[in-house]
Amino acid sequence: MRYLIKDGDAMRDLGRAMAPALRAGDLVILVGGLGAGKTTLVQGIGAGLGVRGQVASPTFIISRAHEPSADGPWLVHVDAYRLGSPAELDHLDLDDSTDQAVTVVEWGEGKAESLADGHALITIDRARGAFAEGEDPAAGERVVTVTTTGAAWQGRPWPKADEGSA
C-alpha cells in the first residue's frame, strides 16, 4: 500500500486508520529520516488502538509501553536510533511483551526483524526528496509505503490509499 500524506494531522489519521488492521503479537518497523513523521504515525496508531497515556518519542528512554483502555492490545513503542545492533535491542526483552502488544520500532530495520515471524515495514519518505539546508525537516508531503512479510499479515484490512491521505 502507498499513501500520500500532506501534514501531521493526515499522518495521525493514517495511523488511526491502520490500527484496526493491527493485532497483539504484531511487529511494525518504521523507516524514515529525522522529522519524517514516524512518531506522529505511532500517535495515530495509539489513538486507534485506544491506549492510555500520551504517545511520545521514546528516543531517550528507548521503549514505552502503553496500556489499552479497553480490551485491545498494548502498544510497545521503541526507538532503536541509538542502538547499534540487534543484540542491544534484544537486551530490552521485548519478546516478553510481543504476544500481548503491537510492537512498533522506529529505526528498527536490520535490528528488530527477529522479534516476530513476520512484520509490517512502513517507510516514510518526503515526496520531494531530502530537505534543503535551513528547511524544516517536518514540513512537506510524505509518501508512506507499507510492505509486509509473513503469513500472519496476509489479507489484513489496510486502509485504502484515500482513507489515510489528505
Side-chain angles (χ1 to χ4, degrees), residues 98-123:
T98 53
D99 290 345
Q100 14 175 233
V102 172
T103 303
V104 180
V105 184
E106 297 186 29
W107 303 96
E109 189 174 33
K111 298 174 187 169
E113 290 83 357
S114 66
L115 292 173
D117 290 333
H119 62 275
L121 178 68
I122 300 178
T123 304

Side-chain angles (χ1 to χ4, degrees), residues 42-129:
V42 181
Q43 289 169 343
I45 291 171
L49 292 175
V51 299
R52 295 179 185 178
Q54 177 184 0
V55 175
S57 176
T59 299
F60 296 104
I61 61 168
I62 311 294
S63 177
R64 294 180 192 256
H66 298 275
E67 182 179 3
S69 57
D71 290 334
W74 284 71
L75 171 64
V76 175
H77 183 197
V78 180
D79 187 327
Y81 181 75
R82 298 179 337 169
L83 302 179
S85 69
E88 288 183 54
L89 187 65
D90 191 46
H91 284 65
L92 298 176
D93 292 326
L94 295 174
D95 50 351
D96 289 344
S97 64
T98 53
D99 290 345
Q100 14 175 233
V102 172
T103 303
V104 180
V105 184
E106 297 186 29
W107 303 96
E109 189 174 33
K111 298 174 187 169
E113 290 83 357
S114 66
L115 292 173
D117 290 333
H119 62 275
L121 178 68
I122 300 178
T123 304
I124 305 171
D125 292 305
R126 288 174 52 92
R128 293 180 301 144

Side-chain angles (χ1 to χ4, degrees), residues 23-36:
R23 306 175 190 148
D26 283 348
L27 172 63
V28 178
I29 298 172
L30 300 181
V31 176
L34 291 170

Side-chain angles (χ1 to χ4, degrees), residues 5 36 38 45 60 73 75 92 100 105 120 141 145 147 154 162:
I5 303 300
K38 296 179 296 296
I45 291 171
F60 296 104
L75 171 64
L92 298 176
Q100 14 175 233
V105 184
E141 292 182 331
T145 306
T147 55
Q154 300 306 309
D162 59 353

